[in-house]
Amino acid sequence: MPLAFSASQALQLSVTQHAEQLPAYLNDEERVIGALLDPNQLERLGEGRYRYTVTRLQVFQLQIQPVVDLVARRSPNRIELEAVDCELEGLGVVDDFQLSLDSWLEVNPEGLHGEAALAVRVSQPSLLRLIPTRVLEATGRSLLSGILLGMKTRVQQQLLNDFEAWCLAPAGH
């Protein structure tokens, strides 16, 4: 029986200085993605495509490391990031593993507004068969919530710092 769990996180970020430049900043896709995610774990695959190696996670006795392929899409005042493929290193043979990430960030009158939804569906690894499904799913939800909270914190700190640096850089960004 597959395990399934999900989590989501909303973001409302007030930006008062240089707010009129937010749309142009969001259009600088590679820079924004590098500020949203750890650039040391990020590889650009091509136009609008990235590979992100998630920090190694400990789940009970297992260490796992998701490697996620992402697609970025831009539209006026908005950037979206979607997981299109994922490998799971560390679990050995897993019959089915699906990860979905849908996130967006857009300019609004107060600054930036966004949301991220993360979901996983995976067959129960044989090492964890003795642990009740509800415990595994609760642990999975907690793990995903922690990942999203880390992303939110990074956006609130790193993205705002990067935006400020971008605004202060010489024209032409």
Side-chain angles (χ1 to χ4, degrees), residues 92-98 121-125 129:
V93 177
V94 175
D95 295 334
D96 62 347
F97 175 79
Q98 297 171 334
R121 181 180 164 94
V122 63
S123 58
Q124 190 168 344
R129 297 241 188 257

Side-chain angles (χ1 to χ4, degrees), residues 12-77:
Q12 180 62 51
L13 202 54
S14 179
V15 177
T16 52
Q17 289 190 312
H18 310 291
E20 72 285 352
Q21 294 185 51
L22 278 171
Y25 175 73
L26 281 189
N27 204 39
D28 192 345
E29 174 190 298
E30 195 168 350
R31 181 163 186 149
V32 171
I33 301 297
L36 289 172
L37 302 170
D38 184 341
N40 297 320
Q41 297 168 249
L42 188 64
E43 174 189 357
R44 187 171 190 263
L45 300 176
E47 187 66 32
R49 295 185 63 85
Y50 301 86
R51 179 164 291 142
Y52 188 66
T53 303
V54 179
T55 304
R56 190 170 295 278
L57 305 166
Q58 177 88 28
V59 182
F60 296 102
Q61 299 302 317
L62 300 173
Q63 284 203 12
I64 58 172
Q65 185 168 33
V67 179
V68 184
D69 285 358
L70 302 163
V71 170
R73 293 181 189 88
R74 289 175 301 189
S75 57
N77 299 330

Side-chain angles (χ1 to χ4, degrees), residues 108-158:
N108 71 7
E110 291 79 40
L112 290 170
H113 175 63
E115 189 172 336
L118 187 58
V120 169
R121 181 180 164 94
V122 63
S123 58
Q124 190 168 344
S126 56
L127 289 171
L128 302 180
R129 297 241 188 257
L130 297 177
I131 299 172
T133 300
R134 61 180 164 60
V135 172
L136 291 173
E137 288 180 343
T139 301
R141 277 191 303 277
S142 176
L143 186 66
L144 295 184
S145 292
I147 290 170
L148 290 176
L149 188 58
M151 287 173 69
K152 180 178 183 176
T153 301
R154 184 169 181 86
V155 169
Q156 291 171 321
Q157 296 169 357
Q158 179 62 30

